[in-house]
């Protein structure tokens, strides 16, 4: 619109228009950001979870291991467990400082080794992106 007004007023002559292809980071929601400290906290929690899974595999032997325990059959129960873990481990893992996006990552890791592996891959991508940028955080939904 500004260009048209300037042209109509005779302030500029337009024979050629060029468009800049500059890429600018998106202004992603703060709820979907993660920083290095959170990445480390989630990695520690997942590492402990994987170790626990291995110990349970040794104890339970031939059971498939993917049976959902009765205490994890509803989302409310899972959230209650996460809240309890937060209270019990607040000094160890600093989980009270985790953003909701980090809590969602932990929820994705619940119940299966595949879930944990998927979350670890996301964390790897986030760390690579943090290395590329001078910013202290990176978006989980729009890493670039």
């Amino acid at each position: 619109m500004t260009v048209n007004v300037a042209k109509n007023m005779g302030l500029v002559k337009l024979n050629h228009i060029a468009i800049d292809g500059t890429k600018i980071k998106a202004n992603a929601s703060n709820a979907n950001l993660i920083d290095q400290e959170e990445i480390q906290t989630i990695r520690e929690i997942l590492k402990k979870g994987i170790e626990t899974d291995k110990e349970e595999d040794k104890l339970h032997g031939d059971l498939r291991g993917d049976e959902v325990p009765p205490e994890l059959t509803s989302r409310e129960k899972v959230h209650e467990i996460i809240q309890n873990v937060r209270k019990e481990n607040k000094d160890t893992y600093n989980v009270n400082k985790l953003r909701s996006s980090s809590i969602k990552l932990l929820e994705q890791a619940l119940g299966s080794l595949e879930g944990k592996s998927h979350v670890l891959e996301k964390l790897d991508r986030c760390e690579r992106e943090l290395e590329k940028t001078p910013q202290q955080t990176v978006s989980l939904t729009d890493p670039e």
Side-chain angles (χ1 to χ4, degrees):
M1 170 128 185
T2 305
V3 174
N4 284 333
V5 171
K7 181 180 177 188
N8 292 338
M9 294 178 71
L11 299 173
V12 295
K13 292 182 182 179
L14 296 176
N15 297 326
H16 180 78
I17 296 178
I19 299 174
D20 183 20
T22 303
K23 293 183 181 181
I24 301 173
K25 277 194 166 279
N27 187 10
S29 167
N30 284 339
N32 293 320
L33 297 178
I34 191 166
D35 61 22
Q36 188 63 43
E37 183 179 339
E38 287 179 284
I39 290 172
Q40 284 307 114
T41 300
I42 294 170
R43 280 190 188 284
E44 289 172 15
I45 292 170
L46 291 179
K47 182 180 176 185
K48 184 176 180 180
I50 291 169
E51 289 170 0
T52 302
D53 287 346
K54 289 178 182 178
E55 289 173 17
E56 288 175 352
D57 288 345
K58 288 178 186 176
L59 289 173
H60 300 294
D62 291 336
L63 293 177
R64 288 189 342 209
D66 63 350
E67 297 88 357
V68 177
E71 66 270 12
L72 296 179
T73 56
S74 73
R75 213 167 208 13
E76 291 80 21
K77 296 248 186 200
V78 170
H79 284 289
E80 183 180 319
I81 290 169
I82 289 172
Q83 292 302 323
N84 289 337
V85 168
R86 280 181 150 178
K87 288 176 190 171
E88 292 170 8
N89 296 301
K90 70 179 181 178
D91 295 327
T92 306
Y93 294 119
N94 223 3
V95 291
N96 289 326
K97 291 186 178 180
L98 293 179
R99 292 179 178 90
S100 60
S101 56
S102 296
I103 298 297
K104 287 178 186 174
L105 279 177
L106 286 172
E107 289 175 355
Q108 291 174 15
L110 285 176
S112 73
L113 187 57
E114 292 83 19
K116 289 175 182 68
S117 297
H118 178 68
V119 170
L120 288 171
E121 288 172 14
K122 277 188 179 182
L123 295 176
D124 289 340
R125 283 193 302 267
C126 289
E127 280 186 323
R128 285 192 300 271
E129 194 62 35
L130 277 170
E131 290 172 4
K132 294 179 192 175
T133 181
Q135 297 176 342
Q136 299 299 312
T137 59
V138 66
S139 172
L140 289 165
T141 56
D142 184 18
E144 294 181 6

